[in-house]
Amino acid sequence: MSVYCSIDFGTTSIKLGLFSEDGEILALKKAPTPASSENGYDPDTVFSIVRNQLDVFDKAFHIDAIAITGMSEAGILLEKDTGEALSGIIPWFDGRTKEISSAYADKDYEGFCITGLHNSFKYGAYKLLWTLGNTVHGEDVIWLSACDWLFFRLTGIYATEPSFAARTYLFDIGDGRWSAERLSLFNIKEGMLPRLVCSGLFSGNTKLNGRDVPVAIAGHDHLLAMYSYEGVVEEYICNSMGTSETFLGTVEKSVLADSYDTGLTYGPYFRKDFLYWMSNIPSSGMSVEWIRKKAVRNESGYPYLDSVISEMPSDIEALPLFFPWLAGIGTPSYRNDIGGVFWGLKENTSYEDLVRSVFIGLCFQEKRVLSISADDVSTPLLVFGGAAKSEPWMQLKADITGHRIIVPSVSEGTLLGAVRLMCDVNGLPLHLNEEGFKSYEPGERGRGFSDKYDLYSSLSEEFEKIKGGNNERN
């Protein structure tokens, strides 16, 4: 029986999973992503984590194929001839590019019509421009997204696939190629970018214990979570919950200009003639980690948080409102100049009240984002990520948003999605289990939050009207 390995280079952790042909996890290893310094992630440290774990897994299970996924927008500049790193791996959230990106804010509409994206400092194009202006380099350089770089370190080949290319702000999602218009705008040579390959296609080999093992760049982590159970369960909106949180669905290709004012972003999906739409909350898991680790001197454990949100006070109206904008506002206004807010703090507000407010605020923001993204509240949310393990959180989410919540038994949707796409594209056997899903139905408790949500929504609109220094959409 074949054994497939999936690598997820994420913001918080680097995960490697082994899957059988039946879609079951044979082994899972998670290591913290090395802390980002002023130069970004150290590439040698990252690669040693991946390489060492691949060797361990292969000796125990004999890996037949490898799929790579992970965060988008992070990237690194290399000397093209030698592959030598000229920078660290700059994280997607690194703010050094804000000044550069703000210079192109007036070209947001034109950029959206080509790329499906709204202007943001996060994109690879701006990281490339910053790196070119702040490093010593020759003429022959190449910019790789983080997962493309990992593919290069394993195979020695420069390549990318459409879902990572799309997050550079240089990719034409209609034509499926690097955009000559965008390259000209930023004065970037196409030779500075890798060649495009099909998502999930074997495009190189790596050596494991003396033999060649094929490797594929599967694509953007959130998209692969959506792909993992496509066709296995009913129609759904994919809800990927990590440090940031996204909602994703698919639409047939259409004129992007007509979608400019929706507040959504778009990009190429793995099925021909389809785009994905995406909405986001930039600091979802980040907000939980903040209240868990930083708001009190002693770190609170997850079981404790679950116990707190399981017991809501009879007077919900007395709780403060929390606006989860620690990393700015995502959908619908895309503001990185506004921070998180507690509204309605009182002298007798307890730490437990703050914890409840954080989780309720996240669910309120989810409801607000979904009201823009999803036309039908009856469409369930298929939820992936560590948050899905919290039953009280998932029930609160169902009650407040009004959507049924479905949690797969295999919670590693991104890893599974990467393996599934690789197997589909290359004709490898993979049989997914159609059972093992936990469901949370919206309950009557949701009505008790309605008035408080109305206040939350109206205050959100007022906060978003505040003029700030840098208003970008992503």
Side-chain angles (χ1 to χ4, degrees):
M1 179 176 285
S2 297
V3 174
Y4 309 123
C5 181
S6 185
I7 305 170
D8 180 2
F9 182 3
T11 308
T12 305
S13 61
I14 297 171
K15 292 187 284 189
L16 283 81
L18 292 183
F19 292 83
S20 69
E21 290 182 11
D22 295 325
E24 296 180 355
I25 294 182
L26 302 174
L28 179 66
K29 180 67 175 179
K30 180 167 67 172
T33 302
S36 174
S37 69
E38 62 179 16
N39 295 320
Y41 303 120
D42 178 67
D44 290 334
T45 302
V46 170
F47 185 69
S48 67
I49 292 172
V50 172
R51 183 78 247 186
N52 292 340
Q53 192 56 46
L54 277 175
D55 290 339
V56 170
F57 274 175
D58 190 62
K59 288 176 182 177
F61 292 93
H62 192 88
I63 297 170
D64 292 291
I66 299 170
I68 298 174
T69 180
M71 56 183 161
S72 64
E73 296 150 357
I76 185 171
L77 187 70
L78 304 179
E79 186 177 84
K80 197 169 185 178
D81 289 343
T82 66
E84 179 184 353
L86 299 173
S87 71
I89 302 170
I90 303 176
W92 59 269
F93 53 81
D94 192 294
R96 72 187 73 191
T97 53
K98 288 181 178 179
E99 184 176 349
I100 300 174
S101 65
S102 64
Y104 294 90
D106 62 342
K107 299 186 182 300
D108 184 68
Y109 178 77
E110 294 87 339
F112 179 84
C113 292
I114 295 173
T115 68
L117 305 176
H118 293 286
N119 189 50
S120 171
F121 71 93
K122 296 189 298 185
Y123 300 135
Y126 294 132
K127 291 179 173 63
L128 171 54
L129 291 177
W130 186 94
T131 309
L132 289 173
N134 290 274
T135 59
V136 178
H137 60 83
E139 288 293 321
D140 206 14
V141 296
I142 190 165
W143 177 262
L144 298 178
S145 296
C147 293
D148 303 332
W149 162 84
L150 184 53
F151 176 80
F152 163 72
R153 287 294 299 264
L154 288 172
T155 68
I157 295 172
Y158 296 130
T160 190
E161 57 75 59
S163 69
F164 284 134
R167 303 300 289 191
T168 63
Y169 211 31
L170 299 170
F171 187 73
D172 187 324
I173 65 172
D175 291 344
R177 57 175 176 78
W178 296 117
S179 167
E181 183 176 337
R182 303 296 292 169
L183 292 173
S184 176
L185 173 67
F186 295 118
N187 195 27
I188 293 172
K189 299 177 182 177
E190 187 169 345
M192 294 180 179
L193 303 171
R195 70 183 178 94
L196 290 157
V197 298
C198 176
S199 305
L201 182 70
F202 290 140
S203 302
N205 296 295
T206 194
K207 289 285 186 183
L208 289 180
N209 295 308
R211 72 186 194 286
D212 286 336
V213 176
V215 185
I217 311 173
H220 189 183
D221 49 8
H222 296 309
L223 297 183
L224 287 162
M226 179 165 65
Y227 186 80
S228 59
Y229 284 102
E230 189 176 86
V232 178
V233 295
E234 60 192 286
E235 183 178 351
Y236 55 83
I237 295 169
C238 180
N239 181 200
S240 180
M241 300 184 70
T243 305
S244 62
E245 179 174 357
T246 59
F247 298 96
L248 300 102
T250 58
V251 293
E252 293 185 10
K253 283 188 176 180
S254 59
V255 179
L256 284 176
D258 296 339
S259 306
Y260 179 73
D261 292 324
T262 63
L264 305 178
T265 58
Y266 297 83
Y269 191 53
F270 305 124
R271 287 190 283 128
K272 185 179 180 182
D273 297 328
F274 276 82
L275 299 175
Y276 70 82
W277 60 258
M278 180 186 294
S279 56
N280 79 314
I281 302 172
S283 46
S284 179
M286 183 187 295
S287 296
V288 174
E289 289 302 287
W290 174 80
I291 196 68
R292 190 173 80 89
K293 293 181 177 180
K294 298 181 180 180
V296 293
R297 185 165 296 178
N298 296 319
E299 179 178 321
S300 300
Y302 295 115
Y304 172 73
L305 298 183
D306 280 353
S307 69
V308 171
I309 61 175
S310 294
E311 299 178 4
M312 289 290 173
S314 57
D315 185 9
I316 295 172
E317 287 295 320
L319 291 173
L321 284 171
F322 176 70
F323 298 80
W325 302 334
L326 302 186
I329 306 174
T331 309
S333 61
Y334 303 97
R335 297 284 298 271
N336 59 51
D337 58 305
I338 295 181
V341 178
F342 272 114
W343 182 273
L345 289 173
K346 299 178 181 178
E347 187 276 334
N348 63 347
T349 298
S350 67
Y351 173 64
E352 288 75 17
D353 288 339
L354 295 181
V355 169
R356 295 180 182 110
S357 295
V358 165
F359 283 90
I360 293 170
L362 284 167
C363 292
F364 280 170
Q365 186 67 12
E366 289 169 335
K367 182 174 182 177
R368 190 159 186 261
V369 169
L370 284 166
S371 69
I372 300 165
S373 311
D375 294 331
D376 190 352
V377 74
S378 67
T379 305
L381 305 180
L382 190 67
V383 182
F384 294 100
K389 299 175 183 177
S390 170
E391 294 188 1
W393 191 355
M394 293 303 100
Q395 187 58 59
L396 185 67
K397 184 186 187 82
D399 291 340
I400 290 178
T401 66
H403 288 261
R404 182 159 66 98
I405 306 300
I406 302 174
V407 178
S409 57
V410 178
S411 61
E412 300 296 338
T414 294
L415 292 172
L416 177 60
V419 164
R420 182 184 177 189
L421 182 66
M422 175 182 70
C423 290
D424 288 350
V425 170
N426 295 286
L428 302 178
L430 182 69
H431 313 287
L432 298 184
N433 187 353
E434 298 184 13
E435 301 177 354
F437 298 90
K438 187 157 189 175
S439 180
Y440 300 83
E441 302 291 340
E444 291 297 318
R445 184 174 60 159
R447 295 182 181 179
F449 290 98
S450 59
D451 289 343
K452 202 164 184 66
Y453 170 74
D454 289 342
L455 176 60
Y456 177 90
S457 186
S458 63
L459 285 173
S460 294
E461 293 176 3
E462 292 303 314
F463 282 131
E464 290 164 12
K465 292 176 184 177
I466 297 173
K467 292 186 181 296
N470 188 14
N471 184 353
E472 295 187 336
R473 307 178 79 182
N474 64 349

